[in-house]
Amino acid sequence: MNLIKKAINLLLFTCALMNTTSAQQKYEWKEGESGGYKYRYITNDPMKARFYTLKNGLTVILSVNKKDPRIQTLIGTRAGSNNDPQDHTGLAHYLEHLLFKGTEQYGSLDWAKEKPYLDNIEGLYDTYNHTTDPIARKVVYHQIDSVSGLAAKYAIANEYDKAMASMGSQGTNAHTWTEETIYEEDIPSNAVDKFLAVQSERFRDPVFRLFHTELEAVYEEKNRGLDNDGRKSYELMLKSLFPTHNYGQQSTIGTVEHLKNPSLKAIRQFYNAYYVPNNMAIVMAGDFDFDYLIKHIDSSFAYMQPKPVPEYKAPVEAPITAPIVKEVFGPDAENVMIAFRMPGALDVKSSTLLNVLSEIMENGKAGLLDLNINRQQKVQGASAGLMQWKDYTVFSLSGKAKQGQTLEQVKDLLLGQLEILKKGEFDETLVKAIVNNAKLAELQGLDNNSNRANSMMDGFIKHRGQNWLTDVSAVDDMSKVTKKEIVDFANKYLKDNYVLLYKRKGEDKNIEKVEKPVITPVEVNREAQSAFLVKLNAIPATPVKPQWLDFDKDIQKGKVGAADVLYVQNKDNGLFRLYYRFDMGSWNNKLLPLASQYLQYLGTDKYTTEQISKEFYNIACNFSVSSGTDATVITISGLQENFDQAASLFEHLLRNCQPNEQILATLKGRIQKGRSDNKLNKGAILKGLVNYGMYGAKNPFNNQLSDAELNAITAKDLVDLLHSLPDYKHTVIYYGPQSLTAAVASVKKEHALPATFKVAPPAIKFEKADQTKNNVLFADYDMVQSEVNWVRNSSVYKPENTALISMFNNYFGGGMGSIVFQTIRESKALAYSTYAYYASPDKKDERYSVVAYVGSQADKMDDAITGMNELLNDIPRSDKLFETSRMSQKQDIETERITQDGIIFNYLASKKLGLTTDYRKTVYENIDKITFDNVKLFHDQNLAGKPYTYCILGSEKKISLDNLKKYGDVKKVTLEEIFGY
């Protein structure tokens, strides 16, 4: 045990150092002033967040991070489905969608002419909302459809998306949840003025145009949820846990009945009530100047007027005195969930205890579920989690049954671990390890603007930022938690007071869907541009120079024995990542993925698997072995001061792991159960179906061990493979604070290598199929919707086409402002999700593929296929959209910074494509030369009039196979053909 004792001693020294540092730190609110604006901050806040409150009550929270010339922005309101009127659930979510539709200033060709039609539509919806006779409702809806068509002639669809794309924004999105609605953008740092111009106008007086087509998109979103067993389980769990609170009584998406009866007047009332400055926050994290930004936010949003906000009065739920047992039925794999109602996030002490308690139960390495359940393979899989809201928190345990096991047995095992917790039968040092790993995660998270922004916005939603001090000190507060406090807390709150939810396989007899209304396609006016957008694009922005990788300068190289070393230094912190990358995967040896999985359950001649897992967790380090199709990668990461211990411990495990037939037999059983579960998962089925369409009957997806092959494998086969793995050629990759010389010496000390490497077995080759005629591959699945993928394989990779293909994808089908999205969703309301792109291979001798997708209601599938086929055969021209796509791509490249070990992996990816330089430079230099005629010619040569394979997933009860014959020869593909087992 010398190695483990050494690791523990070093950890104790490290902990003492950390605790000394923490003791010297003091977290307290302070006030500052700069640029004429007062702000509050917390001393020793690693994010150095500043909290401003403007004169109208608007909260602004800012954190500077100069790592990339970009800024993550969030604009949020403290209102979500909790605040929906009881007779209009889903309203907050509706409103979120409508806030992408524009205002009087943008999104309209002629507001004076558009407005009367929109007023008429609002009145018609009010009539529709109060009409109950089915025939009369159809008459009113026909009027809505007709007037909407007239109004759409004056609307500019997706002008918001075009505005954001033109300034180089990424990740345009929004979400609604119980207590929040958040609007998200990731902008270049030189686009602040443009961003504020759009956002201040966006929230000034939004116009709810193109409502009936957007409503249909929400219907599609609802129907997708009805096809999702996990979504149904989640909603029933909340409904049972919160019989009076809106957490359980009002789903975010809304009820089918309420979705069928929308009210624009009610949506407007909601907006007026909750979208006020004293209920909203602007959060930004990234590369900016504090003084400049706060001044311009203030001037942009000063027009907003505060007013009292109707707060949701949360009822106090009656205690649960006995388990509440519920069942959900559906086609997906079975599982069980145990959910407890706990104190909310505003109870700071309880939140701290809950965070520690949840990690004790499961942290991925050394928690009770990790060591006693998952490591010992007692179930198919088990986990624990927290969902923290203001009023209550949900603590849950969940698990899947392995072969021959009932969900009731899984439930007993999960509850058994709770009993161990309540008895205090866990090592108190686990709490210290949890704290150290939390500090490590906090350090890693600082690099990411999104992590910073979301943390700050979460604080605003939960407590208006008033408890930011406790948010900043959370990890230190966790370090003060005692074992007795955890045990007492668990015994107080974790009793027979839970909801027990069984997700069982079977027909859901209560399922309903939102019926498809008759919608006439509307104008999208692609070429139109409002005066607002013209003015916006004229706002000057300081150019940002792109930064190219120079692989010869950015990567240092060395040798460890026969192995090449690729090195980039970490100059930011004391973290390291070490990789051993082998150019062989499952295509070389089908046993590699199984051996990689098997390793995590094995011990050595000295240590048990539990001891190894604990020690990695104790020294705040991680390891993983992942085997893909053509590469296997060992990753070891953590604190540099623990590098030697982590590398040595992993090396010992790999070289000395012991075969165990019983562990392997259990693993085989779980793999067989996982295979059965995969055949119940529509996402896995569709992925396999697309692979079948792209490659044929033998493809990468079903390149699996047969049941007979799996059963024949012995523990010795796998352990011999693991022991010999370092003898195969591999590359050592290091990213960390050590110098190259020191890193090489450290690796050489721990990582023994042969004088010459073994040669990897030859890889099996998969050739993409030629589509010589239209074919339909159909897989049957019990679902409300249908999902259709188009597949066509094209020519071999040519690096000189990269800029053209990038431009084509961005314009044609790569985002919310693209031709495909505008036509299929915005104009025709045929789908919630749709895209199309020309997919590039990752190896120089492989072929491109055309991939398109539409997910729609089964009764709209024919219309959706027709709509996509029209676009695949004829690409519409929009010069304005084309220029927006060009500007967006250029700004993406200008502000992208490839750093850290990303430099090395970019180099390796380029090498596979036969490239020796940063391909982005070629794209950037050529993108201004590309014309629409170039893109159209590319489309005509590679997409138009070509045969495709249609990969269709849906229910045979709703889709006629005879009807599918009009698209091509139909083959119903079995699950065995799809999965290969």
Side-chain angles (χ1 to χ4, degrees):
M1 299 293 287
N2 290 337
L3 180 65
I4 292 181
K5 285 179 180 177
K6 183 180 177 184
I8 290 174
N9 289 334
L10 183 69
L11 172 70
L12 293 175
F13 172 77
T14 304
C15 287
L17 183 63
M18 287 182 169
N19 289 335
T20 301
T21 304
S22 296
Q24 292 172 347
Q25 289 183 343
K26 186 178 181 182
Y27 302 113
E28 58 182 355
W29 280 108
K30 293 280 189 178
E31 287 192 359
E33 184 172 352
S34 181
Y37 288 86
K38 292 182 178 180
Y39 60 88
R40 302 175 75 217
Y41 66 98
I42 300 294
T43 55
N44 296 305
D45 176 2
M47 285 196 277
K48 294 180 170 55
R50 292 186 181 183
F51 289 74
Y52 300 84
T53 303
L54 301 183
K55 291 178 182 178
N56 59 4
L58 179 66
T59 296
V60 180
I61 313 174
L62 307 178
S63 174
V64 168
N65 177 23
K66 298 285 187 178
K67 206 166 191 68
D68 302 314
R70 298 197 68 86
I71 304 168
Q72 178 65 55
T73 75
L74 302 176
I75 299 181
T77 182
R78 300 176 83 243
S81 52
N82 266 9
N83 308 88
D84 285 339
Q86 288 186 348
D87 57 347
H88 286 294
T89 59
L91 189 148
H93 179 240
Y94 267 152
L95 176 56
E96 171 218 308
H97 280 245
L98 291 174
L99 278 165
F100 287 84
K101 299 302 179 184
T103 67
E104 298 177 15
Q105 299 299 315
Y106 73 92
S108 182
L109 280 168
D110 190 327
W111 172 240
K113 292 180 179 177
E114 184 189 21
K115 185 178 185 303
Y117 291 117
L118 295 180
D119 290 342
N120 191 3
I121 290 168
E122 183 172 314
L124 285 169
Y125 267 110
D126 197 48
T127 301
Y128 185 72
N129 192 265
H130 293 91
T131 302
T132 56
D133 179 71
I135 296 175
R137 282 173 64 84
K138 285 185 177 181
V139 171
V140 177
Y141 199 88
H142 178 69
Q143 291 177 282
I144 291 172
D145 184 62
S146 299
V147 180
S148 295
L150 296 172
K153 293 180 185 296
Y154 301 101
I156 307 173
N158 295 104
E159 190 161 38
Y160 174 84
D161 302 302
K162 294 173 189 174
M164 298 314 299
S166 69
M167 69 179 75
S169 184
Q170 301 169 355
T172 296
N173 211 339
H175 73 264
T176 305
W177 205 17
T178 55
E179 298 167 333
E180 67 193 49
T181 308
I182 313 292
Y183 300 85
E184 309 161 25
E185 299 288 347
D186 178 354
I187 63 170
S189 55
N190 66 347
V192 165
D193 293 341
K194 292 183 178 183
F195 170 78
L196 293 176
V198 173
Q199 300 305 322
S200 61
E201 174 59 28
R202 180 189 202 181
F203 293 100
R204 187 183 301 272
D205 190 14
V207 172
F208 301 155
R209 58 173 59 89
L210 300 172
F211 180 64
H212 82 315
T213 51
E214 194 61 36
L215 190 62
E216 181 65 5
V218 176
Y219 289 173
E220 289 288 351
E221 190 175 357
K222 176 69 173 180
N223 286 330
R224 289 168 76 91
L226 295 174
D227 278 337
N228 187 318
D229 288 351
R231 180 81 170 259
K232 291 188 293 185
S233 297
Y234 166 78
E235 291 195 354
L236 181 57
M237 178 269 289
L238 291 181
K239 186 176 182 180
S240 306
L241 209 54
F242 300 104
T244 61
H245 197 292
N246 281 355
Y247 289 159
Q249 296 309 298
Q250 299 193 170
S251 74
T252 299
I253 195 73
T255 67
V256 170
E257 184 59 33
H258 292 163
L259 289 176
K260 289 178 179 177
N261 294 283
S263 168
L264 282 164
K265 290 182 178 178
I267 294 173
R268 177 65 66 184
Q269 289 168 359
F270 187 98
Y271 176 83
N272 291 337
Y274 294 105
Y275 282 71
V276 293
N278 47 310
N279 198 49
M280 297 179 69
I282 297 175
V283 171
M284 299 174 75
D287 181 12
F288 54 78
D289 176 80
F290 278 119
D291 294 346
Y292 181 91
L293 186 55
I294 189 60
K295 178 181 177 181
H296 284 75
I297 290 174
D298 187 13
S299 62
S300 297
F301 287 88
Y303 71 86
M304 281 188 158
Q305 296 300 309
K307 62 181 178 181
V309 177
E311 292 281 347
Y312 170 64
K313 293 182 173 60
V316 177
E317 294 283 9
I320 297 173
T321 57
I324 300 170
V325 183
K326 298 289 181 179
E327 291 182 316
V328 168
F329 292 91
D332 213 338
E334 295 191 336
N335 60 72
V336 61
M337 182 192 302
I338 303 167
F340 294 86
R341 192 173 64 218
M342 308 291 278
L346 297 183
D347 184 337
V348 174
K349 180 62 176 177
S350 291
S351 291
T352 302
L353 291 169
L354 267 171
N355 285 328
V356 177
L357 182 152
S358 179
E359 292 290 307
I360 289 173
M361 288 303 296
E362 190 230 350
N363 53 56
K365 296 186 196 69
L368 296 177
L369 293 180
D370 301 309
L371 298 178
N372 302 338
I373 301 295
N374 291 331
R375 284 275 173 178
Q376 297 183 32
Q377 302 187 89
K378 291 185 177 179
V379 300
Q380 188 70 9
S383 62
L386 290 176
M387 199 156 48
Q388 294 179 307
W389 291 316
K390 284 186 292 187
D391 301 328
Y392 290 101
T393 293
V394 177
F395 170 64
S396 63
L397 305 174
S398 59
K400 291 185 177 181
K402 60 184 183 180
Q403 273 186 331
Q405 189 176 46
T406 66
L407 291 181
E408 286 75 11
Q409 290 171 323
V410 176
K411 178 259 296 181
D412 291 340
L413 286 167
L414 294 175
L415 290 176
Q417 296 308 300
L418 272 190
E419 288 304 311
I420 291 174
L421 173 74
K422 290 161 69 175
K423 291 175 183 176
E425 295 174 355
F426 60 90
D427 192 337
E428 189 159 12
T429 60
L430 178 58
V431 177
K432 293 180 181 178
I434 287 170
V435 171
N436 284 330
N437 280 272
K439 287 180 177 179
L440 177 66
E442 187 176 64
L443 190 61
Q444 292 168 330
L446 288 174
D447 279 348
N448 188 288
N449 288 334
S450 179
N451 285 345
R452 289 178 179 236
N454 281 293
S455 294
M456 294 185 292
M457 180 58 81
D458 187 61
F460 172 75
I461 296 298
K462 286 188 170 70
H463 47 69
R464 295 186 179 275
Q466 297 305 307
N467 291 351
W468 186 246
L469 189 152
T470 54
D471 288 353
V472 171
S473 66
V475 177
D476 280 358
D477 293 340
M478 288 167 65
S479 69
K480 300 169 188 172
V481 170
T482 66
K483 180 176 179 178
K484 183 178 185 305
E485 286 180 304
I486 291 292
V487 172
D488 289 347
F489 185 82
N491 281 283
K492 178 179 179 180
Y493 287 105
L494 303 177
K495 303 177 182 178
D496 286 340
N497 54 340
Y498 54 81
V499 170
L500 174 60
L501 194 145
Y502 294 108
K503 159 60 197 58
R504 301 191 188 276
K505 189 176 183 301
E507 182 182 356
D508 184 353
K509 297 180 179 177
N510 299 316
I511 199 165
E512 57 180 329
K513 72 170 187 174
V514 187
E515 294 296 334
K516 163 193 169 185
V518 177
I519 292 180
T520 305
V522 300
E523 297 283 346
V524 291
N525 295 315
R526 289 192 186 95
E527 276 304 281
Q529 194 173 63
S530 65
F532 177 88
L533 194 59
V534 173
K535 184 178 178 182
L536 179 80
N537 289 334
I539 295 175
T542 304
V544 176
K545 284 189 176 183
Q547 291 184 7
W548 313 122
L549 296 178
D550 183 332
F551 296 135
D552 292 330
K553 292 181 179 178
D554 296 333
I555 300 172
Q556 295 183 52
K557 297 179 181 179
K559 281 279 189 180
V560 173
D564 292 329
V565 176
L566 300 177
Y567 166 95
V568 169
Q569 189 169 31
N570 176 6
K571 298 178 180 179
D572 297 327
N573 53 47
L575 303 181
F576 80 91
R577 289 190 285 272
L578 173 69
Y579 308 89
Y580 303 138
R581 188 181 187 279
F582 302 80
D583 288 328
M584 63 177 187
S586 62
W587 291 0
N588 304 85
N589 186 341
K590 283 186 181 181
L591 295 189
L592 270 170
L594 180 59
S596 301
Q597 190 176 359
Y598 185 46
L599 180 63
Q600 66 181 302
Y601 302 108
L602 297 181
T604 69
D605 54 340
K606 292 184 179 180
Y607 315 126
T608 66
T609 181
E610 291 81 10
Q611 285 176 313
I612 291 168
S613 187
K614 280 182 180 179
E615 294 317 314
F616 268 101
Y617 194 67
N618 284 343
I619 61 174
C621 289
N622 301 292
F623 81 86
S624 67
V625 183
S626 61
S627 185
T629 57
D630 60 357
T632 297
V633 180
I634 293 170
T635 306
I636 306 168
S637 63
L639 297 169
Q640 179 63 46
E641 59 224 65
N642 294 339
F643 177 95
D644 290 348
Q645 288 70 36
S648 178
L649 186 56
F650 176 80
E651 202 75 22
H652 172 76
L653 170 63
L654 187 64
R655 294 290 192 177
N656 298 283
C657 55
Q658 300 293 297
N660 187 309
E661 288 293 351
Q662 181 55 51
I663 288 174
L664 179 58
T666 305
L667 177 58
K668 288 178 180 178
R670 290 177 56 243
I671 288 172
Q672 296 284 16
K673 180 59 165 58
R675 290 179 168 190
S676 299
D677 289 349
N678 285 340
K679 290 181 178 180
L680 303 175
N681 184 286
K682 69 173 185 173
I685 295 169
L686 185 60
K687 183 179 179 181
L689 194 63
V690 170
N691 260 261
Y692 196 111
M694 191 170 288
Y695 291 92
K698 295 295 182 182
N699 57 70
F701 185 82
N702 62 23
N703 179 43
Q704 306 285 340
L705 292 163
S706 68
D707 289 343
E709 288 173 326
L710 179 63
N711 290 329
I713 294 167
T714 67
K716 186 176 183 303
D717 294 333
L718 299 180
V719 167
D720 286 349
L721 177 57
L722 290 167
H723 288 170
S724 67
L725 192 57
D727 298 334
Y728 288 93
K729 183 180 178 182
H730 59 279
T731 302
V732 176
I733 299 169
Y734 174 86
Y735 170 73
Q738 281 191 318
S739 67
L740 174 60
T741 302
V744 166
S746 295
V747 173
K748 188 179 292 185
K749 182 173 65 173
E750 307 297 346
H751 189 52
L753 292 173
T756 57
F757 285 125
K758 288 182 179 180
V759 178
I764 186 173
K765 290 188 179 293
F766 293 98
E767 299 291 341
K768 288 185 175 180
D770 292 320
Q771 287 75 28
T772 57
K773 61 178 181 177
N774 284 343
N775 289 288
V776 178
L777 300 176
F778 177 81
D780 182 32
Y781 191 85
D782 183 16
M783 57 195 289
V784 172
Q785 287 214 316
S786 65
E787 300 198 51
V788 184
N789 269 108
W790 285 252
V791 173
R792 171 176 174 73
N793 296 316
S794 189
S795 57
V796 175
Y797 173 74
K798 292 182 180 179
E800 61 268 27
N801 286 343
T802 303
L804 177 60
I805 291 168
S806 179
M807 189 68 192
F808 168 79
N809 285 338
N810 204 302
Y811 173 76
F812 184 63
M816 288 197 291
S818 68
I819 292 291
V820 168
F821 191 88
Q822 279 193 357
T823 304
I824 301 294
R825 175 165 158 170
E826 297 294 316
S827 173
K828 299 183 178 181
L830 292 173
Y832 174 74
S833 178
T834 183
Y835 55 80
Y837 60 94
Y838 198 72
S840 296
D842 63 357
K843 295 188 182 74
K844 64 181 179 180
D845 55 350
E846 292 186 352
R847 297 166 66 184
Y848 297 99
S849 297
V850 180
V851 179
Y853 170 83
V854 173
S856 69
Q857 291 173 215
D859 56 0
K860 293 198 297 187
M861 187 189 72
D862 282 338
D863 292 339
I865 290 176
T866 299
M868 182 63 80
N869 281 341
E870 288 172 352
L871 295 174
L872 291 174
N873 287 317
D874 183 17
I875 182 170
R877 177 167 187 153
S878 170
D879 292 336
K880 293 284 196 308
L881 180 57
F882 193 78
E883 286 309 310
T884 297
S885 298
R886 190 198 312 277
M887 291 167 61
S888 174
Q889 278 195 91
K890 289 183 68 176
Q891 287 167 326
D892 285 352
I893 294 173
E894 287 167 352
T895 58
E896 182 181 25
R897 298 293 180 263
I898 298 173
T899 60
Q900 302 181 358
D901 44 8
I903 297 170
I904 297 173
F905 289 109
N906 189 279
Y907 162 73
L908 292 172
S910 297
K911 195 174 175 183
K912 284 172 70 175
L913 289 169
L915 306 176
T916 57
T917 59
D918 188 342
Y919 78 94
R920 298 174 303 154
K921 188 172 189 289
T922 304
V923 172
Y924 188 79
E925 290 172 346
N926 285 281
I927 204 161
D928 280 334
K929 304 171 187 175
I930 297 171
T931 66
F932 177 80
D933 289 339
N934 298 142
V935 167
K936 177 168 173 48
L937 179 62
F938 176 85
H939 177 276
D940 291 346
Q941 290 176 339
N942 294 284
L943 283 79
K946 307 296 185 195
Y948 288 86
T949 296
Y950 298 79
C951 304
I952 301 177
L953 181 68
S955 171
E956 233 176 326
K957 299 172 187 175
K958 297 179 173 66
I959 297 173
S960 164
L961 296 190
D962 285 338
N963 179 59
L964 295 181
K965 291 177 181 177
K966 64 188 178 187
Y967 302 116
D969 294 340
V970 177
K971 174 179 172 58
K972 184 178 177 182
V973 188
T974 67
L975 294 178
E976 289 71 23
E977 289 174 310
I978 290 173
F979 288 95
Y981 48 74

